[in-house]
Amino acid sequence: MLNSDQSKFLNLRTLRFLRQNPKVTRILVKDAGLDMSRVETIIEPIMDAPKRCEISSFYLQAVTTGRTAFLTTNLPDICDIFVTDVSAVWVIGRDSACAITVADQSISRLHAAIGHRHGGGFYITDVGSTNGTRVNGRRLKPQIAHAIADGDLLEFSNLRVEFFVSGLLQLVNPNQDTFVGSA
């Protein structure tokens, strides 16, 4: 995790987040080259995501370090920040095996997937849901990836979710695949 020298440079809010998410912490510290100010630069937008919501109370925030990516959201619990594992694709739906589980009967068991491609950014795919997925009001055709960007409004059936992107975007190497796995 973090040693005492690394910890002393972080504000309490950032430190609390890092202690609650040890798997992500190892990856963030490694990807930021042990530079704690860069780690804090990644964490602060995660903590402030609820304040960015203008249309809905729900958000999905994609975070990239240039080498890895993960999602944060308040979909499972509006009062908490849920952090996914590092991956290149995250499935959203009612099924407990999904990366992000949403307890809403209008959401299909496997509803949609959000993915990340270096150089290509983030995308969403409706995986054949019953009630559909929309981006900025436009219904997606099933099984076709659609690029998404910071500020887009995603709709899973009737559930409206604001999408944000943060992280060390300037480090993205378009020739490098998203790293999947543990640090």
Side-chain angles (χ1 to χ4, degrees), residues 1-2 14 16 18 28 36 50 58 73 75 94 103 106 111 113 121 161 175:
M1 176 95 108
L2 297 175
T14 299
R16 189 176 312 117
L18 293 172
L28 290 177
M36 292 301 105
F58 295 107
T73 185
L75 278 170
R94 277 192 348 260
S106 72
H111 196 98
V161 179
N175 299 318

Side-chain angles (χ1 to χ4, degrees), residues 9-123:
F9 295 107
L10 299 171
N11 70 44
L12 289 175
R13 198 167 76 144
T14 299
L15 193 54
R16 189 176 312 117
F17 175 87
L18 293 172
R19 286 186 175 144
Q20 291 172 346
N21 298 284
K23 288 196 313 193
V24 171
T25 298
R26 285 189 292 279
I27 291 165
L28 290 177
V29 170
K30 183 177 180 179
D31 287 0
L34 300 175
D35 181 342
M36 292 301 105
S37 66
R38 292 179 87 181
V39 170
E40 199 154 46
T41 299
I42 296 168
I43 301 301
E44 285 303 311
I46 293 170
M47 305 302 290
D48 291 336
K51 295 177 191 170
R52 288 193 62 195
C53 292
E54 296 177 2
I55 299 168
S56 171
S57 298
F58 295 107
Y59 69 88
L60 268 166
Q61 181 160 321
V63 182
T64 181
T65 66
R67 186 177 89 91
T68 57
F70 60 94
L71 302 178
T72 66
T73 185
N74 65 347
L75 278 170
D77 180 352
I78 198 163
C79 297
D80 201 8
I81 297 172
F82 173 78
V83 180
T84 68
D85 287 337
V86 168
S87 188
V89 178
W90 305 267
V91 177
I92 299 165
R94 277 192 348 260
D95 194 285
S96 62
C98 291
I100 299 173
T101 303
V102 181
D104 180 320
Q105 290 302 319
S106 72
I107 306 295
S108 295
R109 285 181 326 190
L110 303 175
H111 196 98
I114 292 182
H116 180 252
R117 287 186 216 113
H118 281 287
F122 290 90
Y123 63 90

